[in-house]
Structure formats: structure tokens, C-alpha cells
Amino acid sequence: MVETIEIADMLIDVTRKAVKNVHLSVHPPEGRVTLVAPTNTRIEVARAYAITRLGWIRKQQERFRDQVRESPRRFVTRESHYLWGRRHLLKVEEHEGRQGVTVDHRTIHLRVRPGSDTSKRAEIIHRWHLRLLHQALPPIIEKWEPRLGVTVERYFLQRMKTKWGSCNAAQRTIRLNTELVKKPRDLLEYVVVHEMIHILEPTHSPKFFEILTKNYPNWAGARLELNELPVPAI
């Protein structure tokens, strides 16, 4: 059960779980705040803890507000689009043949039928992004399953506003943000490893970070880079 507390002009979602310590998080891109506390924690105690961290919370929210945001895409020729961390220019080619996307060194070629609108062009690009992620993800998962000693039963791709990924530890599934196709490949790998470790340790406990540090020592740098890259317009 999630409870919401209000401190000044800030709403914080509080969840009680079987954890040993309180975990306070500020989530990109909007700066949403969550607090996970041990099962028997009184709401007044959770509120008092959050108040002591108000300065830190506001600093994190300010950083997300200042983060560069992509302008809404119109899917027109010479518009900038990112793929695996690199900027490409879009070239729209109208013809009656098969619709689709190809990419060369720094140009994404979008083939559409004459008169196609923005939503149709966006749909074609999105389907292409899904194909790229479905190609990239299985080798990463297969690489890390024996290293971590876990099995991913299934992964899902989804547009997300506030998370790069999530994990259902009980079902051994992970869910990944489709926006990751725009980020460097090593950051996609970091998110996959992060979520796979949640199968072993569902919360951000000290044990979770111990496993993460042992297997992915540069996780802090990867997380910082990921959260400082341009995010989609909301």
C-alpha cells in the first residue's frame, strides 16, 4: 500500500516493505519523490526523515529540471534524432513502396508514403527502435545471466516517463524504457544489469549495491551520465 505525505509543496509516496533501512529516491525526469521504509515504520517517522533530507531532494529535483530536454519531434527532413548516443539527421523520403527505416553513418532515412502525418512517421520510427532493442538485448542478458547467477524469464519494452527500467523479481522479468535506444549502448547494458540484480535483491539495499559494485564497478558514473543526457519532452 502506498501512502502520500505532503511536505511544503512536495508530495512523497511512502511504501512500507520488508527492508532494514529507509530509502529515499528522486526519479527523473520530473523529480518524483518516493520513500521506502521498513514495514513497521510509523508515517510520522517517515515524514520526519523526509524533512531532514529536504535540501537534498530539492537539489536533485533542480538538477532534473535543468536537464536538457528534447523538443517534440516532428519527423521532418534535417531534424536531429539520437541513436545509440550519436546524433543523426533525419531524411524523409516519400514514395509508394514499402515503408521503413535505414541508417548510414550520420543519416536516418525514413521511407514513408506520400501524405503521411507526424503520428504515422513516429509509429514507423518506434517500430524500428523496437527491432533494434530486440536485437541488442538478448546478447546482453545472455552475457550477464551466468555472471550474476540469475535467469531472466522474459523482458518487456515500454515507453516510460519516470524510469529507465523496472523488475518483477517474483516473475524474474525486467521491463526497459524504449528511450534507451537513443542512449549509448553501454548505458543500456548498465540498466539491464541493474534490473537483473533486482531479481536477486528486489530493493536498493546495501546488499544490492554490494552486488552491483562487484559486477559493474562504474555504475555510479553510468547512472550519472544516463541522467544527464537529454530526456524526451513531456
Side-chain angles (χ1 to χ4, degrees):
M1 178 180 175
V2 178
E3 295 183 68
T4 301
I5 58 176
E6 183 173 357
I7 301 174
D9 58 345
M10 185 183 303
L11 296 178
I12 301 176
D13 291 335
V14 178
T15 305
R16 296 181 180 87
K17 292 184 177 181
V19 296
K20 294 181 179 179
N21 302 300
V22 176
H23 303 283
L24 183 67
S25 302
V26 181
H27 304 272
E30 299 170 312
R32 180 176 63 92
V33 185
T34 61
L35 188 151
V36 178
T39 306
N40 59 354
T41 302
R42 291 182 291 112
I43 196 69
E44 294 81 5
V45 174
R47 177 189 296 274
Y49 177 82
I51 289 173
T52 67
R53 302 300 304 279
L54 268 179
W56 177 83
I57 293 172
R58 294 196 185 281
K59 183 177 179 181
Q60 298 302 308
Q61 288 179 327
E62 182 179 354
R63 182 165 67 87
F64 292 140
R65 281 194 298 268
D66 292 342
Q67 189 173 0
V68 177
R69 295 188 182 275
E70 296 179 357
S71 58
R73 302 291 86 178
R74 296 185 297 128
F75 301 95
V76 295
T77 293
R78 297 201 62 78
E79 184 176 60
S80 293
H81 286 256
Y82 283 85
L83 176 66
W84 301 130
R86 298 181 67 190
R87 177 176 172 268
H88 292 68
L89 290 180
L90 185 68
K91 183 177 181 181
V92 180
E93 303 164 2
E94 294 189 345
H95 69 150
E96 294 291 350
R98 185 177 179 180
Q99 301 183 115
V101 183
T102 57
V103 60
D104 56 29
H105 182 60
R106 282 299 176 94
T107 304
I108 295 172
H109 300 266
L110 171 61
R111 299 184 305 278
V112 297
R113 295 192 179 96
S116 64
D117 59 14
T118 300
S119 62
K120 181 60 180 178
R121 296 179 181 191
E123 178 188 340
I124 295 170
I125 290 286
H126 182 63
R127 289 204 304 263
W128 175 58
H129 283 164
L130 291 176
R131 287 197 299 273
L132 293 176
L133 286 166
H134 281 307
Q135 291 169 7
L137 283 166
I140 296 174
I141 293 172
E142 291 168 11
K143 169 185 172 181
W144 283 95
E145 281 181 326
R147 295 188 184 189
L148 298 174
V150 300
T151 299
V152 176
E153 296 296 338
R154 192 175 178 188
Y155 71 83
F156 302 91
L157 298 174
Q158 180 182 332
R159 289 188 177 107
M160 303 181 191
K161 286 187 175 181
T162 61
K163 295 181 178 181
W164 293 114
S166 63
C167 170
N168 185 319
Q171 297 183 9
R172 295 179 174 268
T173 61
I174 61 175
R175 192 173 300 272
L176 301 163
N177 192 332
T178 54
E179 287 293 308
L180 286 166
V181 75
K182 301 177 183 179
K183 312 306 179 187
R185 290 176 184 267
D186 62 312
L187 299 185
L188 170 65
E189 182 169 24
Y190 157 67
V191 176
V192 172
V193 172
H194 183 112
E195 300 308 330
M196 288 178 69
I197 292 174
H198 274 311
I199 295 175
L200 297 171
E201 189 63 28
T203 67
H204 288 126
S205 65
K207 183 179 178 182
F208 170 87
F209 286 107
E210 179 183 338
I211 299 170
L212 181 60
T213 301
K214 177 183 177 181
N215 289 278
Y216 207 99
N218 191 38
W219 67 266
R223 182 177 68 177
L224 181 63
E225 182 181 357
L226 183 61
N227 289 334
E228 288 185 346
L229 288 170
V231 296
I234 299 172

